[in-house]
Amino acid sequence: MYFNMEDVRDTLLQPRLSDEDVAESTDYVDGLAARLGVSPERIRTPVAYPIRQLALFYALMVCARNASAMTSGRSMEAGDDPYEKKRAIYEREYMRWEARISAETFTGAEGKDLGENFPLTAKVGRG
């Protein structure tokens, strides 16, 4: 498990988050590490913040997907289903965090990631 259950602040999904959702999230993060060439014993403890966020958002996305009317067979429009809305939000979030993670995020002492979000600045003057 790459995040603490205390980190789950979504009041709709928190009571629904199952051990299976967390296990799927853990498997996903382990798979990402393997794709990046990082063996489990090389993953630093505690894990870096981007990895915790990725695991948390992935678990919440899975939880919301499993509760969604779109997958449960209930008849409801996607726009009216709060679980489907949450699924879409958390899917975007986990994908955003995944794009920032490198092998060094798993192994590095500083947990470096690829998505350093510095605003682009340029000196402007009159000529």
Side-chain angles (χ1 to χ4, degrees), residues 71-85:
T71 57
S72 70
R74 297 182 309 229
S75 61
M76 185 181 282
E77 296 293 320
D80 296 332
D81 183 355
Y83 296 107
E84 182 58 25
K85 289 177 182 178

Side-chain angles (χ1 to χ4, degrees), residues 17-107:
L17 190 63
S18 70
D19 291 339
E20 291 82 15
D21 299 332
V22 174
E24 188 170 339
S25 169
T26 300
D27 290 345
Y28 181 81
V29 175
D30 287 342
L32 176 61
R35 285 194 309 271
L36 294 172
V38 178
S39 60
E41 63 273 1
R42 290 183 50 218
I43 297 173
R44 74 184 190 107
T45 303
V47 295
Y49 181 76
I51 295 168
R52 287 195 317 270
Q53 290 298 102
L54 170 70
L56 173 64
F57 290 134
Y58 193 87
L60 290 170
M61 187 268 308
V62 168
C63 178
R65 180 188 67 206
N66 292 338
S68 170
M70 306 303 279
T71 57
S72 70
R74 297 182 309 229
S75 61
M76 185 181 282
E77 296 293 320
D80 296 332
D81 183 355
Y83 296 107
E84 182 58 25
K85 289 177 182 178
K86 295 251 184 193
R87 184 212 53 81
I89 290 167
Y90 288 127
E91 182 176 40
R92 281 191 306 274
E93 283 299 306
Y94 98 77
M95 291 175 76
R96 182 174 70 87
W97 283 102
E98 181 181 3
R100 297 179 63 163
I101 293 174
S102 67
E104 196 170 54
T105 312
F106 282 99
T107 62

